[in-house]
Amino acid sequence: MADIRPFCMPKWGIEMTEGTIAEWMVKEGEAFTKGQLLCLIETAKITNEVEAEYDAVVRRILVGEGEDAQAVGTLLAVFADPAATDEEVQAFIDGFRPVETKVAAQAASSAPVTAPADVAPAAAPAKRKIETNRPISPEALKLAEEHGVDLDDVEGTGRNGRITYQDVDQVRRPASQPRLRGLAALVEETAAVFASPLARRLAALHGIDLGGVAGTGPRGRICKADVLALVPEPASGAAAFGAPFVPVDNRPEVVPFDKIRKVVARRLTQAKQELPHFYLRLSARADALMELRKTANLVLGCKASINDYVVKAVAIALVRNPDVNVQVHGEDVHRFPHADIAIAVASPKGLVTPIVRQADRMRIDQLAGETRRLIDKANAGNLSFEDMDGGTFSVSNLGMFGIEQFDAIINPPQAAILAVGAATRQPVEAADGGVAFENRIAFTLSVDHRAIDGAVGARFMETLKTLIEEPEGLFA
């Protein structure tokens, strides 16, 4: 009997629900051996290499490169030994049924649902007979009756105040915010200027002299189209001084969420809605840390950034306050002996959070090297599942953009995240009563109150502040 095996969309981590074939390294009909690279699969934030677990031949590829994302468990290809016939391979594909998974069930439940047939359409406005002595065109009256428009609210713009179809149609539309442009002097109706009221208003609005305009309306009447034809094309930049303001096309460019943005949006929305956040804020003097950094980098021969020193301080503070170094899984709290710190990186593919493992056990030069490696991989889009999986705490630093203070959203299942602002020069009272200046960094700790109480978080922040202001403790 021929040995035929399915190759399905794998599942890396509990958060993965789908993936995309980025590239096939083998072709239909090619043989491969165990350990050979078969394909690249992109998930929401990473690209994984899939190696063969046995020797076989690619008999059929069912999902090509760059096609839509496939749910976990979807049949991607069929591998078999060379003896298998095409009929046997086809029969295998026809009879293949994916394993029933929670992901598949969710996908099925999210399928489009046909609207109930008995849903009544929105009720149309009742048609009513209108008796009026005001001048109105037959079509305008018909429209007003069909839509129940009160003619008392309609201003006629036709000859001698006659209500036109456009007047009624404008009134029944939703009210819009008027754009005030100041007073406009209407052109007086004289024998030399035979124009409609709308044409006169437009001419006044755009500063057009109707004296020499040849009308194309009945009996040479100047109409709206004649005036609009004389309105200059709007410039792409700012209007010249004194020129009337002319609005330009402002339709938006619609950019749908990519896969990473979808995942980030879903997870952060879930975290913000379901996790009871509270926030602890403080600032710490950073002058000693900045001075020590210069000397330490020279001695260690590295280029560790202020953020690297902050991550190191956070790691030590977490080990000293293990009740903050936790994950929340259902009703269980997982407490970790070492700090695996996720650092928020704004990569070209979106926000990613690679993890510096056991940052508390690293020297500052080792930590700086690992951080640089992860950032380079993130910018190249080469982060692996192992680079992203886990994490006991997150650090998000926007100080390099000049942001002084902000609040970050917890990345579950972690129970806390630290937001780091820019070092700012601030005046303080000196010991002699005068005014001195010092550099301070603002920190905000976002906390999941289900697992961490306020006093526990406060002790962690106190430890962190001490390590920043007395940075010799980072090398103890």
Side-chain angles (χ1 to χ4, degrees):
M1 183 176 179
D3 183 12
I4 304 176
R5 303 187 188 187
F7 175 59
C8 302
M9 178 62 70
K11 180 176 177 63
W12 293 294
I14 58 176
E15 298 294 335
M16 179 176 174
T17 59
E18 62 183 21
T20 302
I21 295 292
E23 184 177 0
W24 281 106
M25 301 302 179
V26 292
K27 299 179 181 178
E28 286 189 356
E30 285 187 357
F32 59 83
T33 58
K34 182 178 180 180
Q36 183 176 340
L37 184 59
L38 295 178
C39 65
L40 302 180
I41 294 181
E42 289 184 342
T43 63
K45 294 187 177 182
I46 59 176
T47 300
N48 277 314
E49 298 179 346
V50 180
E51 297 181 350
E53 299 178 351
Y54 48 83
D55 300 346
V57 175
V58 182
R59 296 304 302 270
R60 189 75 67 83
I61 292 179
L62 302 173
V63 178
E65 300 174 358
E67 293 188 11
D68 293 340
Q70 305 293 321
V72 170
T74 300
L75 183 63
L76 304 176
V78 176
F79 303 150
D81 57 44
T85 66
D86 292 340
E87 290 74 17
E88 290 175 324
V89 172
Q90 185 59 49
F92 178 84
I93 296 173
D94 294 340
F96 179 81
R97 295 290 181 272
V99 177
E100 188 69 21
T101 64
K102 185 178 180 180
V103 172
Q106 291 175 344
S109 63
S110 62
V113 178
T114 304
D118 56 352
V119 175
K127 183 176 181 180
R128 63 184 179 89
K129 184 69 174 177
I130 297 179
E131 300 291 345
T132 179
N133 294 325
R134 297 185 61 186
I136 184 171
S137 70
E139 289 300 320
L141 181 60
K142 180 180 179 182
L143 183 65
E145 291 177 343
E146 289 178 348
H147 294 276
V149 176
D150 188 352
L151 295 182
D152 292 337
D153 300 331
V154 181
E155 179 183 1
T157 61
R159 179 183 290 273
N160 297 324
R162 192 185 192 209
I163 300 174
T164 65
Y165 181 93
Q166 288 76 13
D167 296 333
V168 177
D169 183 59
Q170 191 67 28
V171 169
R172 73 180 186 87
R173 294 176 182 274
S176 60
Q177 190 69 23
R179 294 177 296 177
L180 303 180
R181 300 181 181 179
L183 298 176
L186 294 179
V187 179
E188 293 184 1
E189 187 170 13
T190 64
V193 178
F194 179 36
S196 69
L198 179 57
R200 288 200 299 276
R201 282 203 297 271
L202 288 173
L205 183 64
H206 296 285
I208 296 174
D209 182 8
L210 296 181
V213 178
T216 60
R219 303 188 307 280
R221 190 188 195 201
I222 301 172
C223 60
K224 170 186 172 183
D226 300 327
V227 178
L228 292 179
L230 299 175
V231 175
E233 291 292 331
S236 57
F241 180 77
F245 173 77
V246 179
V248 298
D249 186 17
N250 194 28
R251 285 173 293 185
E253 177 190 3
V254 179
V255 181
F257 278 2
D258 57 21
K259 290 183 294 183
I260 292 180
R261 184 59 57 186
K262 287 180 181 177
V263 172
V264 171
R266 185 180 70 248
R267 295 190 61 179
L268 294 186
T269 300
Q270 180 184 9
K272 196 66 175 177
Q273 291 178 339
E274 298 181 0
L275 303 188
H277 285 62
F278 73 90
Y279 305 93
L280 300 174
R281 301 180 177 87
L282 59 71
S283 65
R285 294 190 307 274
D287 297 281
L289 177 63
M290 291 178 173
E291 287 299 321
L292 181 140
R293 170 176 168 256
K294 297 177 183 176
T295 305
N297 283 358
L298 286 175
V299 173
L300 296 174
C302 65
K303 296 181 179 178
S305 65
I306 289 293
N307 190 63
D308 294 328
Y309 283 87
V310 169
V311 172
K312 178 65 177 179
V314 168
I316 296 175
L318 287 172
V319 173
R320 295 180 184 176
N321 298 271
D323 288 338
V324 181
N325 194 38
V326 299
Q327 293 181 349
V328 181
H329 296 270
E331 297 182 350
D332 298 328
V333 175
H334 296 192
R335 186 181 294 113
F336 295 85
H338 296 291
D340 293 342
I341 298 182
I343 53 175
V345 178
S347 74
K349 300 185 70 173
L351 177 65
V352 292
T353 53
I355 298 166
V356 180
R357 310 279 178 186
Q358 301 193 11
D360 57 296
R361 300 181 62 241
M362 290 184 175
R363 294 192 314 269
I364 191 65
D365 56 323
Q366 294 171 329
L367 191 151
E370 176 65 3
T371 301
R372 185 71 261 167
R373 184 186 71 84
L374 293 172
I375 293 176
D376 289 343
K377 291 186 70 174
N379 290 331
N382 293 330
L383 287 172
S384 65
F385 174 71
E386 289 73 19
D387 293 327
M388 307 278 289
D389 185 37
T392 61
F393 190 90
S394 290
V395 172
S396 180
N397 189 343
L398 294 179
M400 65 284 291
F401 300 108
I403 301 300
E404 297 179 2
Q405 187 175 19
F406 67 102
D407 300 338
I409 301 176
I410 296 171
N411 182 23
Q414 299 168 21
I417 181 172
L418 183 73
V420 183
T424 57
R425 195 84 171 149
Q426 298 182 10
V428 296
E429 182 179 1
D432 60 359
V435 177
F437 287 86
E438 63 184 20
N439 289 294
R440 300 192 71 86
I441 299 178
F443 299 98
T444 302
L445 183 69
S446 304
V447 186
D448 182 350
H449 210 336
R450 298 176 303 168
I452 303 174
D453 293 332
V456 174
R459 282 195 290 271
F460 165 81
M461 293 292 275
E462 183 183 31
T463 305
L464 176 65
K465 178 182 173 69
T466 301
L467 289 168
I468 296 296
E469 296 187 344
E470 301 172 9
E472 298 82 4
L474 300 178
F475 297 89

